[in-house]
Amino acid sequence: AQSVAQPEDQVNVAEGNPLTVKCTYSVSGNPYLFWYVQYPNRGLQFLLKYITGDNLVKGSYGFEAEFNKSQTSFHLKKPSALVSDSALYFCAVRGLSTDSWGKLQFGAGTQVVVTP
Amino acid sequence: DAGVIQSPRHEVTEMGQEVTLRCKPISGHDYLFWYRQTMMRGLELLIYFNNNVPIDDSGMPEDRFSAKMPNASFSTLKIQPSEPRDSAVYFCASSQTSSVPETQYFGPGTRLLVL
């Protein structure tokens, strides 16, 4: 069965500093990996995905994520955080078995707080 | 594009009443998902459809919950009878097979409070 873990409930960072949100996964075979962001009182928004190819994936709003197969990780990063990046971030994974096509397993979410 | 549309945005009801949540997916999308979000359980997938056919309803909590998709542009999630523990934010999302279907587009959600 596929699963994803976000070990930090909350990440605090000062504006202008680098931001990292951690994610590890467990899935059979090669995974499809995703990051979504949820702003207050809104639905989730797609940020970026890793399917295959380059391990460094670039997404919206200056975010990027690095796929590391040996560590089964897919950490989200931003070189310089903004106060407007404060939100709830979800990592998600889909395995490649036919019965999981289209279905995502979300992590518990990490609250990011960026202080001025 | 208007995005995924959900109605109502807020619903307050009393225990035992029937609640119907509605969703209009993005035109051309062939996958539709219903999620529930609570502080205790996080984000849970309840059920999803492909081409209007339910594919996986293993997340539906019990028989009080039912979902339908009569056509490609409309879906409902019904709770009958409702209970206070059903209080949550319910999201609908859609995606399309021609893209990576897990790139899902979420609606704004329906905030349900059952008294």
Side-chain angles (χ1 to χ4, degrees), chain A residues 19 39 52 64 81 93 95 104 115:
Chain A
L19 170 63
Y39 298 101
T52 186
E64 58 188 27
V93 65
L104 280 171
T115 52

PDB file of all heavy atoms in Angstrom, chain A residues 19 39 52 64 81 93 95 104 115:
ATOM      1  N   LEU A  19      13.169  28.032   2.701  1.00  0.00           N
ATOM      2  CA  LEU A  19      12.080  27.245   3.253  1.00  0.00           C
ATOM      3  C   LEU A  19      12.185  25.817   2.744  1.00  0.00           C
ATOM      4  O   LEU A  19      12.374  25.593   1.540  1.00  0.00           O
ATOM      5  CB  LEU A  19      10.733  27.840   2.817  1.00  0.00           C
ATOM      6  CG  LEU A  19       9.471  27.012   3.093  1.00  0.00           C
ATOM      7  CD1 LEU A  19       9.257  26.820   4.583  1.00  0.00           C
ATOM      8  CD2 LEU A  19       8.246  27.705   2.465  1.00  0.00           C
ATOM      9  N   TYR A  39      -4.424  27.609   1.050  1.00  0.00           N
ATOM     10  CA  TYR A  39      -4.509  28.881   1.760  1.00  0.00           C
ATOM     11  C   TYR A  39      -5.780  28.882   2.605  1.00  0.00           C
ATOM     12  O   TYR A  39      -6.724  28.135   2.320  1.00  0.00           O
ATOM     13  CB  TYR A  39      -4.484  30.045   0.772  1.00  0.00           C
ATOM     14  CG  TYR A  39      -3.202  30.090  -0.022  1.00  0.00           C
ATOM     15  CD1 TYR A  39      -3.136  29.616  -1.335  1.00  0.00           C
ATOM     16  CD2 TYR A  39      -2.023  30.568   0.550  1.00  0.00           C
ATOM     17  CE1 TYR A  39      -1.952  29.637  -2.047  1.00  0.00           C
ATOM     18  CE2 TYR A  39      -0.842  30.588  -0.158  1.00  0.00           C
ATOM     19  CZ  TYR A  39      -0.809  30.107  -1.457  1.00  0.00           C
ATOM     20  OH  TYR A  39       0.373  30.114  -2.151  1.00  0.00           O
ATOM     21  N   THR A  52       8.680  11.553 -13.887  1.00  0.00           N
ATOM     22  CA  THR A  52       9.899  10.885 -14.321  1.00  0.00           C
ATOM     23  C   THR A  52      10.870  11.958 -14.777  1.00  0.00           C
ATOM     24  O   THR A  52      10.522  13.144 -14.855  1.00  0.00           O
ATOM     25  CB  THR A  52       9.604   9.903 -15.472  1.00  0.00           C
ATOM     26  OG1 THR A  52      10.795   9.152 -15.774  1.00  0.00           O
ATOM     27  CG2 THR A  52       9.165  10.646 -16.727  1.00  0.00           C
ATOM     28  N   GLU A  64      10.239  24.572  -5.660  1.00  0.00           N
ATOM     29  CA  GLU A  64      10.822  23.436  -6.339  1.00  0.00           C
ATOM     30  C   GLU A  64      10.871  22.262  -5.362  1.00  0.00           C
ATOM     31  O   GLU A  64      10.719  22.439  -4.152  1.00  0.00           O
ATOM     32  CB  GLU A  64      12.228  23.756  -6.857  1.00  0.00           C
ATOM     33  CG  GLU A  64      13.198  24.185  -5.790  1.00  0.00           C
ATOM     34  CD  GLU A  64      14.512  24.680  -6.389  1.00  0.00           C
ATOM     35  OE1 GLU A  64      14.535  25.169  -7.540  1.00  0.00           O
ATOM     36  OE2 GLU A  64      15.535  24.579  -5.684  1.00  0.00           O
ATOM     37  N   ALA A  81      11.702  32.711   1.312  1.00  0.00           N
ATOM     38  CA  ALA A  81      10.281  32.642   1.657  1.00  0.00           C
ATOM     39  C   ALA A  81       9.649  34.032   1.758  1.00  0.00           C
ATOM     40  O   ALA A  81      10.315  35.011   2.148  1.00  0.00           O
ATOM     41  CB  ALA A  81      10.100  31.899   2.973  1.00  0.00           C
ATOM     42  N   VAL A  93       1.058  11.122  -3.023  1.00  0.00           N
ATOM     43  CA  VAL A  93       1.692  10.095  -3.843  1.00  0.00           C
ATOM     44  C   VAL A  93       0.643   9.219  -4.489  1.00  0.00           C
ATOM     45  O   VAL A  93      -0.429   9.010  -3.935  1.00  0.00           O
ATOM     46  CB  VAL A  93       2.654   9.226  -2.989  1.00  0.00           C
ATOM     47  CG1 VAL A  93       1.885   8.443  -1.929  1.00  0.00           C
ATOM     48  CG2 VAL A  93       3.474   8.287  -3.862  1.00  0.00           C
ATOM     49  N   GLY A  95       0.692   5.373  -6.485  1.00  0.00           N
ATOM     50  CA  GLY A  95       1.446   4.237  -6.996  1.00  0.00           C
ATOM     51  C   GLY A  95       1.068   3.982  -8.440  1.00  0.00           C
ATOM     52  O   GLY A  95       0.257   4.691  -9.021  1.00  0.00           O
ATOM     53  N   LEU A 104      -5.033   9.728  -5.175  1.00  0.00           N
ATOM     54  CA  LEU A 104      -3.898  10.268  -4.444  1.00  0.00           C
ATOM     55  C   LEU A 104      -3.987   9.911  -2.965  1.00  0.00           C
ATOM     56  O   LEU A 104      -5.072   9.906  -2.386  1.00  0.00           O
ATOM     57  CB  LEU A 104      -3.868  11.790  -4.558  1.00  0.00           C
ATOM     58  CG  LEU A 104      -3.295  12.399  -5.834  1.00  0.00           C
ATOM     59  CD1 LEU A 104      -3.546  13.897  -5.852  1.00  0.00           C
ATOM     60  CD2 LEU A 104      -1.813  12.105  -5.955  1.00  0.00           C
ATOM     61  N   THR A 115       7.344  34.637   9.041  1.00  0.00           N
ATOM     62  CA  THR A 115       7.223  35.878   9.819  1.00  0.00           C
ATOM     63  C   THR A 115       8.024  36.998   9.164  1.00  0.00           C
ATOM     64  O   THR A 115       9.103  36.759   8.612  1.00  0.00           O
ATOM     65  CB  THR A 115       7.724  35.657  11.240  1.00  0.00           C
ATOM     66  OG1 THR A 115       9.046  35.085  11.188  1.00  0.00           O
ATOM     67  CG2 THR A 115       6.824  34.712  11.988  1.00  0.00           C
TER      68      THR A 115
END
